[in-house]
Amino acid sequence: MHLKAMNLSDGCQEYFCAERSISIYVILYVAAAAVSLLSVCGNLLVIISVSHFKQLHTPSNILILSLAVSDLLVGVFVMPLHLSWVIETSGPVMCSVFNFVNYQATSVSIHTVALIAVDRFLALSFPFFYSEKISPTVICRETLFDWLFLLFYNFTLLFINGNFTAMCPGKCVLIIDEVSFFIDLLVVFLVPCTFIIILYTHVFVIVKKHATAIRALQVHNSTSKNRVSDKSERKAAILLGILVFLFLLCLLPYYICSLVIPYSNPYFFFVRDVAGIFYLLNSTINPIIYALFFPWFQKSIKLIFTFKVFKKNSSLMNVM
């Protein structure tokens, strides 16, 4: 969740702290704890499922695992700190931790969703190339490279803008100059989202063509194995399309707020915080999507909650 460029002294001077009653504090903290806990538990279940069951070690699921890890970081670090920051003030150390983990986790989420779009595009457009060249090892390597690149990129971006040294007393203000802001906008938002939109447009065109072709093949008694395989690929594309659509739906309000509303506007902080919370909720929504639409995740949850995962050779169980 990357903030718009702002001046530190102006931010400190314009900050004000509204007094709240104890009952409001209790409601806000209970809601914050509930959302954070749901996000952490949901994403932990995804991580355990994909990591434990060997049948789920596929290129697409490796990307889902990467997304779940970044969402877990959001649930553990970013969400509680952000919600606490909205409710009241924060210290300089926690502010530095919040800014860095916030940048890392949210940028990894966006890049991972872009990689999911690339994965689905290759699987449907070039099935032979995909089956021969794109293995879980390749995806793991690419995912690790993306995490390390963004780790270096985000640390450098925050360091050169003084976010580890210059602090605003009583408020967590992010300092980003205009050049850094527009570079970050390109690297983290515009380029990945452009890839996501273009590739998923192609994916759904391909899905439509495949559906027409499958109906034609069924008339000519095509094999059951091919029908199941094609149906599986189409279903995966559609379900992951839902995930990507909701991701963009949660993401866009924050960046629209950052780009459109001037910092001098008295409602800037309020609108930004609301849009920020809406974006962070995506980390909670993703596991719910898996639970509703992914049968393998439903079966995995049952095996986890019934402690069958502790049995010998449980990793070889059929969850598909």
Side-chain angles (χ1 to χ4, degrees), residues 12-306:
C12 293
Q13 292 171 2
E14 293 179 11
Y15 176 69
F16 65 92
C17 181
E19 293 186 359
R20 297 186 176 96
S21 65
I22 295 178
S23 60
I24 296 297
Y25 268 108
V26 171
I27 293 171
L28 289 173
Y29 272 110
V30 168
V35 172
S36 299
L37 186 62
L38 182 61
S39 178
V40 170
C41 293
N43 286 293
L44 267 178
L45 287 172
V46 176
I47 292 169
I48 294 170
S49 298
V50 178
S51 301
H52 182 74
F53 297 107
K54 292 186 178 180
Q55 197 175 21
L56 299 180
H57 293 179
T58 64
S60 298
N61 287 340
I62 295 298
L63 293 174
I64 288 178
L65 176 64
S66 175
L67 184 60
V69 172
S70 63
D71 285 342
L72 179 66
L73 288 176
V74 171
V76 172
F77 296 104
V78 180
M79 198 176 288
L81 291 174
H82 179 76
L83 294 172
S84 176
W85 166 33
V86 170
I87 297 170
E88 51 186 315
T89 60
S90 60
V93 176
M94 295 304 293
C95 182
S96 296
V97 173
F98 167 78
N99 285 334
F100 181 69
V101 178
N102 177 20
Y103 259 53
Q104 179 66 14
T106 53
S107 58
V108 166
S109 292
I110 297 172
H111 276 221
T112 302
V113 172
L115 287 174
I116 289 173
V118 173
D119 176 79
R120 289 297 87 201
F121 174 75
L122 291 176
L124 291 169
S125 300
F126 309 99
F128 294 108
F129 170 82
Y130 183 85
S131 60
E132 291 179 5
K133 301 295 184 181
I134 309 300
S135 65
T137 303
V138 171
I139 295 297
C140 283
R141 191 183 303 123
E142 296 298 325
T143 302
L144 180 61
F145 172 80
D146 190 50
W147 273 79
L148 293 176
F149 164 75
L150 290 172
L151 191 71
F152 173 78
Y153 166 79
N154 287 319
F155 180 84
T156 303
L157 184 74
L158 294 175
F159 181 78
I160 63 176
N161 282 280
N163 284 280
F164 298 123
T165 54
M167 289 293 163
C168 175
K171 188 183 180 185
C172 191
V173 176
L174 184 66
I175 315 162
I176 298 291
D177 60 43
E178 290 184 359
V179 175
S180 298
F181 172 72
F182 283 107
I183 291 174
D184 190 58
L185 188 69
L186 285 172
V187 173
V188 176
F189 179 68
L190 291 179
V191 173
C193 288
T194 301
F195 267 100
I196 290 168
I197 293 169
I198 292 174
L199 290 177
Y200 257 97
T201 300
H202 281 286
V203 163
F204 283 107
V205 169
I206 294 168
V207 167
K208 186 176 179 180
K209 289 181 179 178
H210 280 197
T212 303
I214 291 300
R215 284 194 294 268
L217 286 172
Q218 287 175 346
V219 175
H220 293 86
N221 297 321
S222 61
T223 65
S224 176
K225 182 178 179 181
N226 288 335
R227 290 201 302 272
V228 171
S229 176
D230 290 333
K231 183 179 179 181
S232 176
E233 290 292 348
R234 295 198 311 275
K235 185 178 180 181
I238 292 171
L239 292 179
L240 290 173
I242 294 172
L243 185 149
V244 169
F245 173 75
L246 290 176
F247 178 83
L248 292 175
L249 196 64
C250 292
L251 180 70
L252 287 176
Y254 188 86
Y255 277 96
I256 291 172
C257 163
S258 297
L259 290 169
V260 175
I261 302 177
Y263 175 65
S264 58
N265 190 303
Y267 297 102
F268 173 79
F269 282 108
F270 173 75
V271 176
R272 183 207 60 190
D273 288 340
V274 172
I277 292 171
F278 187 58
Y279 172 51
L280 292 177
L281 286 176
N282 180 254
S283 298
T284 306
I285 292 172
N286 286 340
I288 297 174
I289 295 174
Y290 304 146
L292 291 176
F293 298 106
F294 286 66
W296 60 261
F297 187 53
Q298 296 167 5
K299 292 180 181 178
S300 298
I301 290 176
K302 290 179 182 178
L303 293 172
I304 292 170
F305 284 154
T306 55

